[in-house]
Amino acid sequence: DAGVIQSPRHEVTEMGQEVTLRCKPISGHNSLFWYRQTMMRGLELLIYFNNNVPIDDSGMPEDRFSAKMPNASFSTLKIQPSEPRDSAVYFCASSQDRAWGEAFFGQGTRLTVV
Amino acid sequence: GDSVTQMEGPVTLSEEAFLTINCTYTATGYPSLFWYVQYPGEGLQLLLKATKADDKGSNKGFEATYRKETTSFHLEKGSVQVSDSAVYFCALSVREYGNKLVFGAGTILRVKS
């Protein structure tokens, strides 16, 4: 298996632009997570899907952030409009319910908003 | 709420030294405990886990024991290598609250040859 695939690996955008991050989870995994990593705040859980349904989005910073999972093999995280403080590494991870807590992470998308 | 506290880094050791990274937790339910490792430029990888009190997780020479009485899950390795240089994250998951992980802040480990 290719693992969790994220795209793009790097994104540089101007403030105010829309940014879309993409994730393909491991086939057969039914939970998907979006995390944000910064030096100041560490790893933050943004949103958690189970069987394509958002279960916990309490970590989504504000209305500028939205996430979707239209099917079991694809998810997006969108920021509109983007701001410099959104600069971070965004990770997608997936897992199976029967392997509790064993999450597989993608390589991340490094977002820079200038 | 649930939380994980790790010792601050960076931790700098010479090759073959003994490693301990402290981790304590607070949880409202009965958590499973994990250590994840992040190598430069990569995502996190599961290193080891323990699901109940007194369980010992182990992998690649690393060990951690689930201590319920002290709410701790300290990571140890008897002899570190340069290739162990990475960021180590302690984490917990409480099944009642869904299959999600709560991570500590991470501890940077640097091993010198």
Side-chain angles (χ1 to χ4, degrees), chain B residues 62-77:
Chain B
F62 291 90
E63 294 182 339
T65 300
Y66 190 144
R67 300 288 187 202
K68 196 168 189 291
E69 65 276 12
T70 54
T71 61
S72 65
F73 193 55
H74 304 321
L75 182 68
E76 296 181 337
K77 186 175 186 183

PDB file of all heavy atoms in Angstrom, chain B residues 62-77:
ATOM      1  N   PHE B  62      13.134   0.449  21.872  1.00  0.00           N
ATOM      2  CA  PHE B  62      12.432   1.384  22.743  1.00  0.00           C
ATOM      3  C   PHE B  62      11.392   0.630  23.579  1.00  0.00           C
ATOM      4  O   PHE B  62      10.793  -0.332  23.105  1.00  0.00           O
ATOM      5  CB  PHE B  62      11.717   2.466  21.920  1.00  0.00           C
ATOM      6  CG  PHE B  62      12.633   3.433  21.230  1.00  0.00           C
ATOM      7  CD1 PHE B  62      13.097   3.170  19.945  1.00  0.00           C
ATOM      8  CD2 PHE B  62      13.014   4.600  21.843  1.00  0.00           C
ATOM      9  CE1 PHE B  62      13.948   4.057  19.297  1.00  0.00           C
ATOM     10  CE2 PHE B  62      13.848   5.510  21.207  1.00  0.00           C
ATOM     11  CZ  PHE B  62      14.323   5.234  19.929  1.00  0.00           C
ATOM     12  N   GLU B  63      11.191   1.117  24.812  1.00  0.00           N
ATOM     13  CA  GLU B  63      10.190   0.525  25.691  1.00  0.00           C
ATOM     14  C   GLU B  63       9.459   1.620  26.456  1.00  0.00           C
ATOM     15  O   GLU B  63      10.033   2.684  26.716  1.00  0.00           O
ATOM     16  CB  GLU B  63      10.842  -0.395  26.734  1.00  0.00           C
ATOM     17  CG  GLU B  63      11.496  -1.622  26.190  1.00  0.00           C
ATOM     18  CD  GLU B  63      12.061  -2.491  27.304  1.00  0.00           C
ATOM     19  OE1 GLU B  63      12.280  -1.949  28.415  1.00  0.00           O
ATOM     20  OE2 GLU B  63      12.275  -3.682  27.079  1.00  0.00           O
ATOM     21  N   ALA B  64       8.202   1.332  26.828  1.00  0.00           N
ATOM     22  CA  ALA B  64       7.460   2.220  27.718  1.00  0.00           C
ATOM     23  C   ALA B  64       6.443   1.379  28.469  1.00  0.00           C
ATOM     24  O   ALA B  64       5.810   0.491  27.871  1.00  0.00           O
ATOM     25  CB  ALA B  64       6.771   3.333  26.943  1.00  0.00           C
ATOM     26  N   THR B  65       6.269   1.643  29.763  1.00  0.00           N
ATOM     27  CA  THR B  65       5.337   0.877  30.585  1.00  0.00           C
ATOM     28  C   THR B  65       4.205   1.777  31.058  1.00  0.00           C
ATOM     29  O   THR B  65       4.442   2.884  31.546  1.00  0.00           O
ATOM     30  CB  THR B  65       6.051   0.272  31.802  1.00  0.00           C
ATOM     31  OG1 THR B  65       7.098  -0.586  31.337  1.00  0.00           O
ATOM     32  CG2 THR B  65       5.077  -0.547  32.646  1.00  0.00           C
ATOM     33  N   TYR B  66       2.998   1.304  30.900  1.00  0.00           N
ATOM     34  CA  TYR B  66       1.767   2.026  31.287  1.00  0.00           C
ATOM     35  C   TYR B  66       1.644   1.963  32.805  1.00  0.00           C
ATOM     36  O   TYR B  66       1.356   0.908  33.372  1.00  0.00           O
ATOM     37  CB  TYR B  66       0.587   1.326  30.611  1.00  0.00           C
ATOM     38  CG  TYR B  66      -0.758   1.994  30.659  1.00  0.00           C
ATOM     39  CD1 TYR B  66      -1.599   1.890  29.560  1.00  0.00           C
ATOM     40  CD2 TYR B  66      -1.232   2.672  31.771  1.00  0.00           C
ATOM     41  CE1 TYR B  66      -2.864   2.452  29.559  1.00  0.00           C
ATOM     42  CE2 TYR B  66      -2.480   3.243  31.785  1.00  0.00           C
ATOM     43  CZ  TYR B  66      -3.299   3.131  30.683  1.00  0.00           C
ATOM     44  OH  TYR B  66      -4.552   3.681  30.701  1.00  0.00           O
ATOM     45  N   ARG B  67       1.844   3.110  33.461  1.00  0.00           N
ATOM     46  CA  ARG B  67       1.763   3.176  34.911  1.00  0.00           C
ATOM     47  C   ARG B  67       0.528   3.981  35.300  1.00  0.00           C
ATOM     48  O   ARG B  67       0.534   5.220  35.257  1.00  0.00           O
ATOM     49  CB  ARG B  67       3.019   3.850  35.497  1.00  0.00           C
ATOM     50  CG  ARG B  67       4.315   3.135  35.186  1.00  0.00           C
ATOM     51  CD  ARG B  67       4.452   1.863  35.951  1.00  0.00           C
ATOM     52  NE  ARG B  67       5.789   1.260  35.762  1.00  0.00           N
ATOM     53  CZ  ARG B  67       6.054  -0.019  35.965  1.00  0.00           C
ATOM     54  NH1 ARG B  67       5.081  -0.856  36.325  1.00  0.00           N
ATOM     55  NH2 ARG B  67       7.278  -0.467  35.801  1.00  0.00           N
ATOM     56  N   LYS B  68      -0.517   3.284  35.697  1.00  0.00           N
ATOM     57  CA  LYS B  68      -1.777   3.968  36.018  1.00  0.00           C
ATOM     58  C   LYS B  68      -1.659   4.746  37.323  1.00  0.00           C
ATOM     59  O   LYS B  68      -2.221   5.841  37.467  1.00  0.00           O
ATOM     60  CB  LYS B  68      -2.910   2.939  36.108  1.00  0.00           C
ATOM     61  CG  LYS B  68      -4.311   3.524  36.064  1.00  0.00           C
ATOM     62  CD  LYS B  68      -5.336   2.433  35.861  1.00  0.00           C
ATOM     63  CE  LYS B  68      -6.723   3.010  35.602  1.00  0.00           C
ATOM     64  NZ  LYS B  68      -7.297   3.662  36.776  1.00  0.00           N
ATOM     65  N   GLU B  69      -0.896   4.195  38.281  1.00  0.00           N
ATOM     66  CA  GLU B  69      -0.815   4.845  39.599  1.00  0.00           C
ATOM     67  C   GLU B  69      -0.104   6.186  39.531  1.00  0.00           C
ATOM     68  O   GLU B  69      -0.389   7.079  40.331  1.00  0.00           O
ATOM     69  CB  GLU B  69      -0.116   3.907  40.590  1.00  0.00           C
ATOM     70  CG  GLU B  69       1.330   3.590  40.290  1.00  0.00           C
ATOM     71  CD  GLU B  69       1.529   2.458  39.294  1.00  0.00           C
ATOM     72  OE1 GLU B  69       0.537   2.047  38.637  1.00  0.00           O
ATOM     73  OE2 GLU B  69       2.679   2.004  39.149  1.00  0.00           O
ATOM     74  N   THR B  70       0.807   6.331  38.566  1.00  0.00           N
ATOM     75  CA  THR B  70       1.514   7.607  38.414  1.00  0.00           C
ATOM     76  C   THR B  70       1.096   8.328  37.126  1.00  0.00           C
ATOM     77  O   THR B  70       1.671   9.375  36.801  1.00  0.00           O
ATOM     78  CB  THR B  70       3.037   7.388  38.368  1.00  0.00           C
ATOM     79  OG1 THR B  70       3.343   6.430  37.349  1.00  0.00           O
ATOM     80  CG2 THR B  70       3.553   6.885  39.714  1.00  0.00           C
ATOM     81  N   THR B  71       0.106   7.819  36.442  1.00  0.00           N
ATOM     82  CA  THR B  71      -0.375   8.349  35.147  1.00  0.00           C
ATOM     83  C   THR B  71       0.801   8.706  34.246  1.00  0.00           C
ATOM     84  O   THR B  71       0.921   9.832  33.742  1.00  0.00           O
ATOM     85  CB  THR B  71      -1.321   9.559  35.320  1.00  0.00           C
ATOM     86  OG1 THR B  71      -0.634  10.636  35.975  1.00  0.00           O
ATOM     87  CG2 THR B  71      -2.537   9.169  36.125  1.00  0.00           C
ATOM     88  N   SER B  72       1.683   7.731  34.035  1.00  0.00           N
ATOM     89  CA  SER B  72       2.885   7.997  33.258  1.00  0.00           C
ATOM     90  C   SER B  72       3.111   6.919  32.208  1.00  0.00           C
ATOM     91  O   SER B  72       2.597   5.788  32.312  1.00  0.00           O
ATOM     92  CB  SER B  72       4.110   8.090  34.180  1.00  0.00           C
ATOM     93  OG  SER B  72       4.348   6.842  34.802  1.00  0.00           O
ATOM     94  N   PHE B  73       3.906   7.283  31.212  1.00  0.00           N
ATOM     95  CA  PHE B  73       4.242   6.359  30.110  1.00  0.00           C
ATOM     96  C   PHE B  73       5.586   6.813  29.559  1.00  0.00           C
ATOM     97  O   PHE B  73       5.713   7.256  28.432  1.00  0.00           O
ATOM     98  CB  PHE B  73       3.140   6.420  29.048  1.00  0.00           C
ATOM     99  CG  PHE B  73       3.184   5.319  28.017  1.00  0.00           C
ATOM    100  CD1 PHE B  73       3.188   3.981  28.376  1.00  0.00           C
ATOM    101  CD2 PHE B  73       3.174   5.626  26.659  1.00  0.00           C
ATOM    102  CE1 PHE B  73       3.205   2.972  27.429  1.00  0.00           C
ATOM    103  CE2 PHE B  73       3.192   4.623  25.694  1.00  0.00           C
ATOM    104  CZ  PHE B  73       3.208   3.288  26.082  1.00  0.00           C
ATOM    105  N   HIS B  74       6.629   6.662  30.341  1.00  0.00           N
ATOM    106  CA  HIS B  74       7.953   7.174  29.987  1.00  0.00           C
ATOM    107  C   HIS B  74       8.615   6.285  28.927  1.00  0.00           C
ATOM    108  O   HIS B  74       8.603   5.053  29.039  1.00  0.00           O
ATOM    109  CB  HIS B  74       8.848   7.235  31.221  1.00  0.00           C
ATOM    110  CG  HIS B  74       8.282   8.036  32.348  1.00  0.00           C
ATOM    111  ND1 HIS B  74       7.591   9.217  32.166  1.00  0.00           N
ATOM    112  CD2 HIS B  74       8.297   7.807  33.695  1.00  0.00           C
ATOM    113  CE1 HIS B  74       7.216   9.698  33.329  1.00  0.00           C
ATOM    114  NE2 HIS B  74       7.625   8.856  34.287  1.00  0.00           N
ATOM    115  N   LEU B  75       9.262   6.932  27.961  1.00  0.00           N
ATOM    116  CA  LEU B  75       9.939   6.209  26.887  1.00  0.00           C
ATOM    117  C   LEU B  75      11.406   6.001  27.266  1.00  0.00           C
ATOM    118  O   LEU B  75      12.071   6.932  27.727  1.00  0.00           O
ATOM    119  CB  LEU B  75       9.853   7.010  25.588  1.00  0.00           C
ATOM    120  CG  LEU B  75      10.472   6.376  24.345  1.00  0.00           C
ATOM    121  CD1 LEU B  75       9.685   5.137  23.917  1.00  0.00           C
ATOM    122  CD2 LEU B  75      10.543   7.378  23.196  1.00  0.00           C
ATOM    123  N   GLU B  76      11.923   4.780  27.046  1.00  0.00           N
ATOM    124  CA  GLU B  76      13.308   4.470  27.372  1.00  0.00           C
ATOM    125  C   GLU B  76      13.956   3.674  26.248  1.00  0.00           C
ATOM    126  O   GLU B  76      13.288   2.917  25.538  1.00  0.00           O
ATOM    127  CB  GLU B  76      13.390   3.646  28.672  1.00  0.00           C
ATOM    128  CG  GLU B  76      12.896   4.377  29.895  1.00  0.00           C
ATOM    129  CD  GLU B  76      13.023   3.551  31.158  1.00  0.00           C
ATOM    130  OE1 GLU B  76      13.066   2.312  31.049  1.00  0.00           O
ATOM    131  OE2 GLU B  76      13.085   4.137  32.245  1.00  0.00           O
ATOM    132  N   LYS B  77      15.278   3.867  26.135  1.00  0.00           N
ATOM    133  CA  LYS B  77      16.079   3.031  25.247  1.00  0.00           C
ATOM    134  C   LYS B  77      17.463   2.920  25.871  1.00  0.00           C
ATOM    135  O   LYS B  77      18.042   3.907  26.308  1.00  0.00           O
ATOM    136  CB  LYS B  77      16.177   3.615  23.839  1.00  0.00           C
ATOM    137  CG  LYS B  77      16.885   2.672  22.866  1.00  0.00           C
ATOM    138  CD  LYS B  77      16.884   3.167  21.437  1.00  0.00           C
ATOM    139  CE  LYS B  77      17.480   2.101  20.512  1.00  0.00           C
ATOM    140  NZ  LYS B  77      17.587   2.518  19.105  1.00  0.00           N
TER     141      LYS B  77
END
